[in-house]
Amino acid sequence: MGRRSQRGRHVQGILLFDKPLGESSNKALQKVKNIYFASKAGHTGSLDPLATGLLPICFGGATKVSAFLLDADKRYWVRIRLGETTSTGDSEGDLLERCSTEAVNAEQIAASLENFLGEIDQIPPMYSALKHQGERLYKLARDGVEVEREARRVTIHEIRLLGCDLPEFELEVHCSKGTYIRTLAEDIGKSLGCGAHVVGLRRTQVGPFSGENMVDMVTLQAIAEQGREALDALLLPVDSAIMDWPEVRLSSDSTFYLCQGQPVIVPKAPTKGRVRIYDDKDRFIGVGEILDDGRVAPKRMI
């Protein structure tokens, strides 16, 4: 018997989706995939159900560049409440401890933020999707099991105090991949001696994508009523995810050999790193890497 055909239509591109409050990233992905009736789709890094904001959804060949968005820097708006520690680090968890915040002021908060700039070590929360011996940490946490987690090095590029209405305050955080904002909030609370947890979180940037052009579910459903052409018009091209990379343009012969998996020589190509590759008709065809001998090797072809 032949292979069963894949359900759905071929859709290619990236949708800047505004994930709603209270929904998992995977559930949001499945809803969007169904609206597009797409055969293949994936997101680029989970947001907690409590969080809203930018969740780039990659369709078709764009799933091949989604890993590069997973590795990209992120930017968040976060609202933190001092004086209360919870089991999850956010308002969805059980209250574990309450402390007075009378001695804390905005100047102390601003001063404490300086300690979190640059490279810092974070211990991932138990309520996370990381695995321990093949089991998700959040599943162990729900069973009342806590395991030791190794600290991970992350980078806080920028952390800004936006407003302060004690016992709550708001921050803008620009950080590297793998940063847990809940853990950052808890650590700030510890540094101030009163504990803290997240009460609001919104992702506003992923790599080159800002939240200005996000589409929410209500808007998406309204546009879907206009037809699939209107839906597809919302999609960004696949290479928009890596536009800050240098580009390489191939001749027809080089295109042929590269698509056969063979490294090729390209005049005036960069000397190292990853590149965007375009064929002789200016079509984006994939991601390449410069070898030690200067040739361009295919890494992930679209």
Side-chain angles (χ1 to χ4, degrees):
M1 288 179 64
R3 233 168 51 177
R4 190 175 62 181
S5 61
Q6 199 170 22
R7 182 179 178 275
R9 66 191 183 103
H10 176 69
V11 182
Q12 183 144 297
I14 301 171
L15 177 72
L16 302 186
F17 183 63
D18 187 350
K19 188 192 84 66
L21 180 69
E23 194 162 83
S24 73
S25 294
N26 190 57
K27 188 173 181 181
L29 165 67
Q30 295 308 320
K31 285 184 177 180
V32 173
K33 184 180 177 184
N34 287 337
I35 288 172
Y36 271 86
F37 192 60
S39 61
K40 188 177 185 181
H43 64 65
T44 57
S46 293
L47 284 171
D48 293 336
L50 174 81
T52 64
L54 185 54
L55 183 71
I57 293 181
C58 297
F59 295 98
T63 58
K64 295 185 178 181
V65 301
S66 62
F68 305 120
L69 288 174
L70 281 169
D71 290 343
D73 290 344
K74 315 289 193 300
R75 194 178 291 270
Y76 297 89
W77 166 90
V78 57
R79 188 168 183 85
I80 298 169
R81 180 175 297 155
L82 292 171
E84 294 177 353
T85 304
T86 72
S87 58
T88 57
D90 60 28
S91 55
E92 293 192 323
D94 297 327
L95 181 65
L96 299 179
E97 189 177 6
R98 184 177 276 125
C99 295
S100 172
T101 61
E102 287 184 6
V104 181
N105 57 43
E107 289 73 22
Q108 288 173 317
I109 294 171
S112 74
L113 298 182
E114 297 292 325
N115 300 321
F116 295 93
L117 265 176
E119 289 192 346
I120 62 171
D121 288 325
Q122 277 194 339
I123 296 176
M126 275 302 299
Y127 281 89
S128 68
L130 297 177
K131 288 185 176 181
H132 173 77
Q133 297 178 353
E135 192 77 37
R136 299 284 185 190
L137 288 182
Y138 65 79
K139 289 184 177 178
L140 294 173
R142 286 171 186 164
D143 292 335
V145 177
E146 181 162 350
V147 297
E148 192 172 333
R149 289 96 64 203
E150 283 190 18
R152 304 197 308 179
R153 180 62 56 95
V154 298
T155 303
I156 307 298
H157 301 292
E158 183 183 10
I159 184 166
R160 250 181 352 120
L161 183 63
L162 299 177
C164 196
D165 183 17
L166 292 172
E168 296 185 357
F169 62 96
E170 296 178 8
L171 300 177
E172 182 182 51
V173 181
H174 180 206
C175 56
S176 68
K177 69 167 185 174
T179 302
Y180 284 95
I181 302 299
R182 285 176 291 140
T183 300
L184 179 64
E186 289 180 315
D187 289 345
I188 292 170
K190 286 176 188 174
S191 74
L192 293 167
C194 60
H197 70 276
V198 169
V199 293
L201 181 62
R202 184 167 178 79
R203 188 157 66 192
T204 58
Q205 186 173 345
V206 176
F209 300 132
S210 69
E212 296 169 5
N213 300 314
M214 284 188 288
V215 180
D216 62 25
M217 183 61 78
V218 173
T219 304
L220 194 64
Q221 289 170 333
I223 290 173
E225 293 178 4
Q226 301 172 28
R228 288 176 178 166
E229 192 173 322
L231 278 175
D232 293 350
L234 297 172
L235 302 180
L236 300 175
V238 176
D239 59 345
S240 63
I242 51 173
M243 287 302 289
D244 54 340
W245 295 14
E247 66 177 44
V248 164
R249 297 190 177 268
L250 306 178
S251 65
S252 57
D253 284 347
S254 294
T255 299
F256 173 79
Y257 288 113
L258 194 88
C259 289
Q260 299 297 314
Q262 299 180 38
V264 296
I265 296 173
V266 180
K268 299 180 181 178
T271 56
K272 62 180 180 179
R274 292 173 176 170
V275 291
R276 294 175 283 132
I277 304 176
Y278 297 84
D279 66 11
D280 56 312
K281 297 181 177 63
D282 291 333
R283 295 176 301 197
F284 174 66
I285 59 172
V287 171
E289 194 161 34
I290 307 298
L291 300 179
D292 291 342
D293 61 10
R295 290 181 299 164
V296 179
K299 186 168 181 65
R300 193 160 293 178
M301 305 305 288
I302 305 301

